[in-house]
């Protein structure tokens, strides 16, 4: 079993990836065997598909061998397309360890998570081309049973949903994943019961939104009058020849096919992970398919929607799909229609990751070269390898003269101080205890007047050099970094190479360091106060009745805070990995009220103490312990309230 730290890491859906500097105007060129258009000597024929596959195959085989040797992996599937052809489709490891079934790109059914969203966005572009929806209209035009609440004097549009910029908070637990078909409900009910709080003005910043994606799929249902999965089947899957692909759950498995089972590692062994159902918000991530079928989808996306004799993106829709329509700043990657840019050493790629608790997938397209790569792993250990593989392929096969980061330009001291501080990614939940998933994820930024800057995140320190007073590039690969002060919100935005997030500067009392100090010192004082109970009881024996009651009530408050902490540890340690994504235990919801009771008892204790002024004191040390204990209850409770971990704000 995994404990709280690993659980929280697993339920965070979208892992931020690194990127590089903006593409230059020169035409991109693919190296050696991959380039059929490379200048050839007279009489030399361009390389054949078999030559392309041979070099790619050798490279991928070597990379996968290293990954399986150095990471806890069970199985992986991969497909690569180039200029309208599938040039590689391979699998490694197992789809089913218990049955000794090897992974297979043709028959292994994989769960690519949020890559499912690309089918939702294609369907919206189809409807927009047909005049059935307006991408710039208020989404409430298409809603009847519920409405998105008004805020910021600006409506949420379908285009905002496609660029993850509606300004919604994000919710995961008991919304995206359910643990059993018994918990299935309709898309309409799921959306109606989980309307998110609006945190930012629409179109201001991108904050990856599963709710927004599911809402887009619901609008497809509303506009067409047919269920989402039926529409996708008729208008995308069947035309592309993807019979195994489905948004239905439980996953229907046909003859000869097998589900690539999810695994996690514990105690040095791999264990079958619980199935995660995404039925309730299917458009956001319920797709099941094979690597070979996704190769057909990639070819269509790279060819303006055309595959063989069909066109899933007719008219202008094909040109629009991969065209940039949103960005925090022109100097950082942006978003196309539902798929986001990534710059890797001068190469403009378009990417979409898929992350569930156990499946780790990625799709990377390079439109200029009609190149696409899909990879999926069936263990959490695949999170790092999937990104490493994509970067390695681009670096190995694509030629682009890399311009090193230029020498830093000075940054005015006032701006350097404004930019420096602690930041946090803006995809979070403001109204439930999921906010606590951001604890410990702070990003620390230090900008010097010389133009040198460092960014510390997840244990990694990156060095940057200023190219302008608000624009920096990472020293080793040119990854962009832009700062933008926001006077309306009283913060500073930091934009990096992943356009589906932004980071905002925290106030001092919002930082993890401050709350860790509050909880540590407060917890220590509470523990010491409880340990001192026998001594304090003796000291208060000769005090007034009001003093004794005041002391006793405060000790009860300390006990409730301690019981809260112990209960959380016990409850979390009693569940298998992945449980938190689908259900909050009732016992956890009950325990969350203990700090609330502690606050009320602490307040009652203070009232009694004030009413007994002039009574005989229990001594200076006892009074100091009392005051420190009151402060500890207040500090710990305030911190728990901030993180939505107590009483009415627990969720």
């Amino acid at each position: 079993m995994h404990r709280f730290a690993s659980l929280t890491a697993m339920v965070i859906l979208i892992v931020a990836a690194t990127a590089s500097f903006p593409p230059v105007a020169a035409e991109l060129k693919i190296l050696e065997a991959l380039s059929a258009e490379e200048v050839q000597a007279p009489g030399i024929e361009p390389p054949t598909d078999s030559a392309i596959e041979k070099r790619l195959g050798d490279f991928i085989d070597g990379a996968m061998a290293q990954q399986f040797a150095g990471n806890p992996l069970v199985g992986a599937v991969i497909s690569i397309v180039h200029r309208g052809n599938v040039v590689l489709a391979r699998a490694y490891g197992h789809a089913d360890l218990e049955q000794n079934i090897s992974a297979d790109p043709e028959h292994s059914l994989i769960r690519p998570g949020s890559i499912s969203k690309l089918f939702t966005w294609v369907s919206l572009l189809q409807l927009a081309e047909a005049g059935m929806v307006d991408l710039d209209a208020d989404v409430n035009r298409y809603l009847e049973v519920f409405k998105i609440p008004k805020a910021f004097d600006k409506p949420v549009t379908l285009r905002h949903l496609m660029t993850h910029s509606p300004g919604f908070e994000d919710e995961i637990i008991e919304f995206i994943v359910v643990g059993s078909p018994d918990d299935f409900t309709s898309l309409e009910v799921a959306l109606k019961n989980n309307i998110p709080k609006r945190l930012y003005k629409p179109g201001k910043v991108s904050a990856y939104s599963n709710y927004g994606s599911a809402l887009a799929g619901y609008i497809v249902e509303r506009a067409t009058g047919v269920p989402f999965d039926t529409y996708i089947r008729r208008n995308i899957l069947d035309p592309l020849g993807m019979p195994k692909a489905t948004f239905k759950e439980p996953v229907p498995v046909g003859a000869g096919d097998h589900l690539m089972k999810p695994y996690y590692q514990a105690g040095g062994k791999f264990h079958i992970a619980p199935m995660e159902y995404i039925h309730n918000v299917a458009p956001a991530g319920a797709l099941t398919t094979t690597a070979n079928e996704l190769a057909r989808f990639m070819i269509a996306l790279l060819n303006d929607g055309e595959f063989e004799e069909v066109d899933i993106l007719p008219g202008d829709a094909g040109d629009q799909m991969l065209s940039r329509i949103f960005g925090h700043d022109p100097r950082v990657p942006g978003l196309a229609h539902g798929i986001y840019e990534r710059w890797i050493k001068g190469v403009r790629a378009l990417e979409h990751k898929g992350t569930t608790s156990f499946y780790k997938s990625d799709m990377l397209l390079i439109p200029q070269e009609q190149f696409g790569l899909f990879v999926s792993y069936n263990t959490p250990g695949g999170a790092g390898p999937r990104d490493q593989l994509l970067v390695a392929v681009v670096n190995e096969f694509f030629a682009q003269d890399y311009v090193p980061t230029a020498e830093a330009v000075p940054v005015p001291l006032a701006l350097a101080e404004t930019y420096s501080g602690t930041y946090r990614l803006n995809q979070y939940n403001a109204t439930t205890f999921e906010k606590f998933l951001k604890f410990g994820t702070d990003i620390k930024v230090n900008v010097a007047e010389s133009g040198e800057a460092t960014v510390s995140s997840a244990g990694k320190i990156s060095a940057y050099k200023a190219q302008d007073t608000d624009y920096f590039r990472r020293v080793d690969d040119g990854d962009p970094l832009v700062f933008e002060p926001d006077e309306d919100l009283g913060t500073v935005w930091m934009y990096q190479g992943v356009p589906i997030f932004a980071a905002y500067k925290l106030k001092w009392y919002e930082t993890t360091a401050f709350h860790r100090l509050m909880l540590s010192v407060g917890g220590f004082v509470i523990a010491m106060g409880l340990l001192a109970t026998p001594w304090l009881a003796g000291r208060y024996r000769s005090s007034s009745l009001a003093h004794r009651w005041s002391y006793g009530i405060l000790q009860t408050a300390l006990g409730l805070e301690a019981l809260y902490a112990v209960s959380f540890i016990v409850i979390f340690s009693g569940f298998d990995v992945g449980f938190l994504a689908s259900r909050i235990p009732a016992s956890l919801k009950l325990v969350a009220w203990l700090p609330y009771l502690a606050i009320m008892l602490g307040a009652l204790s203070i009232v009694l103490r004030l009413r007994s002024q002039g009574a005989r004191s229990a001594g200076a040390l006892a009074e100091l312990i009392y005051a420190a204990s009151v402060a500890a209850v207040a500090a710990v409770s305030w911190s728990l309230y901030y993180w939505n971990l107590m009483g009415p704000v627990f969720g």
Side-chain angles (χ1 to χ4, degrees):
M1 294 181 185
H2 288 247
R3 297 300 184 258
F4 183 64
S6 55
L7 284 168
T8 54
M10 286 184 177
V11 299
I12 299 176
L13 296 184
I14 302 305
V15 179
T18 57
S20 55
F21 67 96
V24 295
E27 180 181 358
L28 301 179
K29 193 170 67 171
I30 195 167
L31 283 176
E32 300 178 20
L34 276 183
S35 178
E37 297 182 357
E38 193 171 2
V39 176
Q40 302 288 329
I44 302 295
E45 294 293 327
T48 63
D49 285 347
S50 61
I52 295 171
E53 184 173 357
K54 175 65 169 63
R55 181 159 182 254
L56 263 174
D58 290 346
F59 183 83
I60 296 297
D61 284 346
M64 282 295 185
Q66 292 180 358
Q67 289 191 347
F68 272 75
N71 298 278
L73 304 175
V74 171
V77 292
I78 184 171
S79 59
I80 297 178
V81 302
H82 180 237
R83 302 196 189 285
N85 297 306
V86 180
V87 295
L88 184 143
R90 295 191 180 178
Y92 305 84
H94 287 81
D96 188 327
L97 279 173
E98 292 68 29
Q99 300 298 321
N100 196 29
I101 299 175
S102 298
D104 184 332
E106 176 66 25
H107 296 289
S108 293
L109 297 170
I110 48 90
R111 307 270 285 158
S114 287
I115 292 173
S116 311
K117 293 179 174 68
L118 295 179
F119 292 80
T120 302
W121 307 133
V122 167
S123 66
L124 273 186
L125 284 176
Q126 290 175 340
L127 297 182
E129 182 65 26
M132 298 176 69
V133 298
D134 181 350
L135 298 183
D136 295 307
D138 187 338
V139 295
N140 284 330
R141 174 191 294 185
Y142 307 103
L143 305 176
E144 291 184 2
V145 176
F146 63 94
K147 299 286 185 180
I148 300 302
K150 297 183 182 300
F152 302 105
D153 296 322
K154 188 174 182 179
V156 173
T157 69
L158 287 171
R159 203 178 299 275
H160 291 142
L161 300 184
M162 298 185 86
T163 55
H164 295 282
S165 61
F168 293 154
E169 68 174 352
D170 191 53
E171 184 176 4
I172 299 172
I173 301 168
E174 291 190 338
F175 173 59
I176 295 178
V177 174
V178 296
S180 167
D182 294 336
D183 298 319
F184 283 4
T185 186
S186 69
L187 177 58
E188 181 176 88
V189 170
L191 293 171
K192 177 185 176 182
N193 292 342
N194 293 275
I195 298 175
K197 182 178 180 180
R198 296 178 60 180
L199 303 178
Y200 316 109
K201 181 184 294 186
K204 169 59 181 175
V205 289
S206 181
Y208 192 81
S209 174
N210 287 290
Y211 184 95
S213 304
L215 180 62
Y218 175 62
I219 290 174
V220 170
E221 290 189 349
R222 295 283 304 158
T224 62
V226 299
F228 174 80
D229 60 313
T230 301
Y231 178 88
I232 296 294
R233 167 63 56 198
R234 292 174 181 173
N235 295 278
I236 302 178
L237 302 181
D238 284 347
L240 292 180
M242 301 173 65
K244 304 176 194 293
T246 181
F247 276 80
K248 292 184 178 295
E249 295 178 329
V251 178
V253 179
D257 298 327
H258 47 265
L259 181 65
M260 199 162 178
K261 292 183 177 178
Y263 290 88
Y264 69 95
Q265 191 180 51
K269 297 181 180 180
F270 287 108
H271 305 268
I272 297 178
M275 181 58 65
E276 296 179 302
Y277 297 101
I278 313 176
H279 168 90
N280 294 356
V281 288
L287 177 68
T288 300
T289 185
T290 68
N292 280 8
E293 288 191 333
L294 280 176
R296 291 171 167 255
F297 184 62
M298 287 192 291
I299 291 173
L301 292 182
L302 289 164
N303 195 34
D304 294 338
E306 296 183 16
F307 177 78
E308 295 181 349
E309 301 299 320
V310 301
D311 186 357
I312 62 170
L313 288 169
D316 293 334
D319 294 330
Q320 294 174 8
M321 182 72 190
L322 303 184
S323 299
R324 175 172 172 143
I325 59 171
F326 176 85
H328 295 123
D329 185 278
R331 296 165 293 184
V332 297
L335 287 100
H337 288 76
I339 187 168
Y340 45 93
E341 290 181 324
R342 183 172 182 186
W343 299 338
I344 306 175
K345 292 191 176 177
V347 177
R348 177 188 182 258
L350 291 163
E351 179 182 31
H352 208 298
K353 293 186 183 297
T355 301
T356 68
S357 294
F358 310 103
Y359 294 97
K360 309 300 176 182
S361 309
D362 209 337
M363 180 183 289
L364 186 82
L365 307 176
I366 303 179
Q368 294 89 338
E369 290 298 331
Q370 294 284 292
F371 178 87
L373 184 156
F374 168 78
V375 65
S376 183
Y377 304 81
N378 60 343
T379 47
R386 66 177 172 181
D387 192 64
Q388 295 161 7
L389 180 69
L390 267 61
V391 172
V393 168
V394 173
N395 286 340
E396 175 70 16
F397 293 102
F398 288 84
Q400 183 67 49
D401 292 334
Y402 175 66
V403 180
T405 303
E407 288 303 311
V409 301
V411 176
L413 179 60
L415 283 180
E417 292 176 345
T418 297
Y419 300 154
S420 298
T422 303
Y423 290 73
R424 186 174 294 154
L425 292 180
N426 65 338
Q427 184 200 19
Y428 78 102
N429 189 291
T431 55
T432 77
F433 86 104
E434 288 184 52
K435 184 178 181 180
F436 187 65
L437 299 179
K438 288 297 182 182
F439 190 91
T441 65
D442 295 359
I443 303 167
K444 295 185 178 180
V445 176
N446 182 53
V447 178
E449 194 175 3
S450 64
E452 308 285 341
T454 58
V455 176
S456 303
S457 177
K460 179 182 178 182
I461 301 177
S462 299
Y464 290 80
K465 292 182 179 180
Q467 310 299 289
D468 203 341
T469 56
D470 63 344
Y471 169 51
F472 297 70
R473 285 177 58 196
R474 193 156 59 195
V475 172
D476 57 356
D477 62 2
D479 185 58
L481 180 71
V482 170
F483 294 98
E484 181 189 6
D486 188 332
E487 294 182 0
D488 292 338
L489 295 179
T491 188
V492 178
W493 290 104
M494 180 173 67
Y495 310 129
Q496 295 178 278
V498 183
I500 55 173
F501 303 111
Y504 63 97
K505 186 176 178 180
L506 300 172
K507 297 178 176 60
W508 62 270
Y509 57 83
E510 297 177 304
T511 65
T512 294
F514 175 75
H515 284 273
R516 184 177 283 122
L517 178 64
M518 291 265 288
L519 293 171
S520 298
V521 175
F524 176 80
V525 171
I526 288 172
M528 292 300 99
L530 289 172
L531 290 175
T533 298
W535 180 82
L536 287 170
R539 297 296 298 175
Y540 275 97
R541 188 174 295 116
S542 59
S543 297
S544 69
L545 180 62
H547 261 201
R548 292 199 300 273
W549 271 99
S550 174
Y551 155 72
I553 290 172
L554 181 61
Q555 291 301 96
T556 303
L558 297 182
L560 289 175
E561 295 280 24
L563 179 61
Y564 169 89
V566 172
S567 298
F568 253 69
I569 295 172
V570 171
I571 292 170
F572 273 103
S573 65
F575 287 83
D576 287 331
V577 66
F579 86 95
L580 189 58
S582 60
R583 183 177 299 280
I584 303 172
S587 55
L588 200 58
K589 295 180 180 180
L590 182 62
V591 166
W593 285 91
L594 293 179
Y596 192 67
L597 295 175
I599 291 175
M600 292 190 293
L601 290 177
L604 177 59
S605 174
I606 294 174
V607 171
L608 290 174
R609 179 58 61 100
L610 292 175
R611 287 187 174 182
S612 62
Q613 286 184 357
R616 181 179 176 183
S617 171
L621 181 58
E623 294 301 309
L624 177 62
I625 294 175
Y626 177 88
S629 297
V630 169
V633 170
V636 169
S637 297
W638 181 83
S639 185
L640 295 177
Y641 183 87
Y642 173 84
W643 294 106
N644 296 337
L645 288 173
M646 58 171 282
V649 297
F650 185 79

